[in-house]
Amino acid sequence: AQERIAWATPRMEEISRSFKLGQHIRKSDKPKSKPKVFKQEQLTIYEAFDKIYTMIEFSVSDGTAKDYRVAKNDFRLWLSDQGFDAIMLKDMTKELVTAYLDDYQLNNEVNNTTRNNRVRNLSAMTTQLKDKGYVGKNVFFEVQKKRQTEPQRYPITPGHLERLLPELQKFKNRQLWHACQFIYFLLCRPVEIEFMKVSQLDFDNHNVMIPNTNKSKKPRYPNMSPDFMLVLHDMKITEANPDWYVFSANGGPGPQKRKKSYFTKRFRAIRDQLELPTQYLFYSWKDTGALHFLMDGGSLMAVQQQMGHKNLSTTEKYAKSIGYDFNLEIRSKQSGERLKIKEAPEPGSEA
């Protein structure tokens, strides 16, 4: 008993001292710190995201800085287009940012994962604005993320192509049809033709220089096929100024670029007018071109070079995702059967 008392006495004294010092009080019960004093400088949303980007761009990796730059530029452009560039940062609401995100997803035909990444990037910059005292709360925390499921996107079937082509070819000055062919033959993304200039078309080496948006990667050089050269001839591209954009607001090559949303909206309108499956997107021309190339005997390595994939395994996964069946290829060579494009469901049926 004496030993136990001797052991317990100093420990009881230590506990008593802790109580006197208030160390038993939970952090949540401690008096709250003084509220943060906000900066006197009042910024508009348009100004705030540009300001915070210049403050943090060198404190993050190149890849993250690029994601922040793309996100803030697109958000600021949307604010300007909507006439919201004078709205103060303190007045930014959940409804406003949700409207932007909905427009971003619809006009760019991006999936939920890409939308959620945009929320994350803008939220990170807003948190920096909050920490530096420019705003009281981060409204992006109130935006509910969407389920990260990929919407189905299909190559366009031959029968539906026959219905689409006449409508595309008669659309105004055929610019929409030319844009579809660029994506189809070069296997590029819609955003890449938006910024493409005439000088990127190398007629001597028969390829196109497409810059990589990631600074750490080199550009790729997809080949220009004879069929694609006919498209360029139809556009009279050789007569254009090398510094002009291939797709401009005047209907042909010109100094002012045409936004990719212009093409996505008009392709979607024609698709809906013909009552074709909603799984056909402007982006589907890339999948259609890749699948047709493989069906006509093109190699995976050629597709890899055209699309800029680092590994051939990535190209194999992509080929399977668009409905290319390698086993069917072997059977078709033996039996003479033609490969079939992955069929999209008819309107009204389940995908």
Side-chain angles (χ1 to χ4, degrees):
Q2 295 293 333
E3 292 179 358
R4 288 198 293 272
I5 292 173
W7 176 86
T9 299
R11 283 156 182 78
M12 292 299 295
E13 292 175 352
E14 183 179 349
I15 293 173
S16 179
R17 286 195 301 270
S18 298
F19 272 109
K20 291 178 180 179
L21 294 172
Q23 294 177 3
H24 65 291
I25 300 175
R26 294 176 300 176
K27 290 183 179 180
S28 59
D29 294 333
K30 289 183 178 181
K32 294 183 179 180
S33 58
K34 294 182 180 180
K36 182 179 290 186
V37 178
F38 293 101
K39 293 182 179 292
Q40 296 297 319
E41 184 181 10
Q42 296 295 320
L43 301 173
T44 63
I45 304 173
Y46 191 91
E47 296 169 335
F49 278 89
D50 198 46
K51 185 179 185 70
I52 197 64
Y53 174 76
T54 59
M55 295 171 69
I56 65 175
E57 63 174 319
F58 297 112
S59 63
V60 296
S61 67
D62 288 344
T64 301
K66 173 248 178 182
D67 290 340
Y68 287 174
R69 182 174 64 255
V70 171
K72 67 99 176 174
N73 286 344
D74 191 64
F75 188 31
R76 294 172 77 241
L77 180 62
W78 180 84
L79 289 169
S80 180
D81 289 344
Q82 300 297 320
F84 296 156
D85 44 349
I87 295 179
M88 304 305 294
L89 180 63
K90 61 184 179 61
D91 297 324
M92 185 168 64
T93 63
K94 172 187 173 183
E95 290 72 24
L96 184 142
V97 298
T98 301
Y100 159 70
L101 293 166
D102 290 342
D103 280 356
Y104 164 69
Q105 186 168 24
L106 179 65
N107 295 333
N108 293 278
E109 296 182 339
V110 299
N111 55 41
N112 290 344
T113 301
T114 304
R115 175 195 169 107
N116 291 342
N117 288 339
R118 178 56 55 87
V119 173
R120 186 188 68 226
N121 291 327
L122 291 174
S123 178
M125 286 190 283
T126 307
T127 296
Q128 291 286 340
L129 287 166
K130 179 176 177 294
D131 291 344
K132 296 181 185 304
Y134 287 102
V135 68
K137 66 175 182 178
N138 186 345
V139 296
F140 283 94
F141 287 161
E142 302 173 11
V143 177
Q144 186 175 4
K145 291 186 177 181
K146 292 193 173 183
R147 290 186 59 187
Q148 298 189 18
T149 54
E150 300 288 336
Q152 290 180 309
R153 187 182 75 223
Y154 289 96
I156 305 170
T157 63
H160 290 160
L161 275 175
E162 290 181 4
R163 297 174 59 191
L164 269 172
L165 297 189
E167 298 298 323
L168 292 171
Q169 291 173 348
K170 72 181 183 182
F171 182 81
K172 291 187 178 181
N173 49 21
R174 294 167 62 91
Q175 191 181 47
L176 176 59
W177 171 232
H178 291 149
C180 293
Q181 290 179 296
F182 262 69
I183 295 175
Y184 177 90
F185 286 113
L186 299 179
L187 306 186
C188 59
R189 297 177 296 154
V191 69
E192 291 171 335
I193 68 168
E194 177 184 0
F195 294 94
M196 187 177 293
K197 291 191 174 183
V198 175
S199 59
Q200 294 174 226
L201 304 171
D202 187 343
F203 293 97
D204 293 330
N205 296 310
H206 293 86
N207 59 35
V208 181
M209 190 277 287
I210 299 182
N212 198 302
T213 53
N214 191 328
K215 295 180 181 179
S216 63
K217 294 184 179 179
K218 297 179 180 180
R220 70 179 194 275
Y221 297 86
N223 294 318
M224 298 193 296
S225 67
D227 288 334
F228 181 69
M229 295 294 291
L230 294 176
V231 178
L232 299 179
H233 178 74
D234 187 38
M235 296 175 65
K236 300 180 179 179
I237 203 76
T238 55
E239 302 174 10
N241 187 319
D243 294 328
W244 283 357
Y245 290 99
V246 173
F247 296 99
S248 74
N250 63 11
Q256 184 180 358
K257 71 180 179 66
R258 175 81 81 184
K259 296 180 182 178
K260 66 178 183 297
S261 59
Y262 171 88
F263 298 119
T264 58
K265 289 178 180 178
R266 280 150 184 80
F267 175 76
R268 189 164 57 239
I270 293 175
R271 177 202 67 193
D272 294 343
Q273 177 187 343
L274 297 174
E275 297 184 347
L276 297 180
T278 56
Q279 287 82 4
Y280 292 159
L281 308 178
F282 183 54
Y283 208 122
S284 294
W285 288 98
K286 175 184 175 183
D287 303 332
T288 307
L291 187 55
H292 286 185
F293 180 81
L294 291 170
M295 287 167 49
D296 292 338
S299 68
L300 275 177
M301 291 187 66
V303 175
Q304 178 189 10
Q305 176 188 356
Q306 202 81 344
M307 300 183 73
H309 291 160
K310 184 177 181 179
N311 301 311
L312 189 61
S313 59
T314 303
T315 311
E316 291 176 350
K317 291 178 182 178
Y318 171 76
K320 291 178 180 178
S321 73
I322 60 175
Y324 185 68
D325 192 329
F326 293 93
N327 294 326
L328 182 60
E329 178 189 18
I330 296 172
R331 292 198 302 272
S332 67
K333 288 181 179 178
Q334 293 174 347
S335 62
E337 297 177 359
R338 180 166 175 78
L339 298 177
K340 292 183 179 180
I341 296 178
K342 180 178 179 180
E343 293 288 342
E346 292 296 332
S349 63
E350 293 185 2

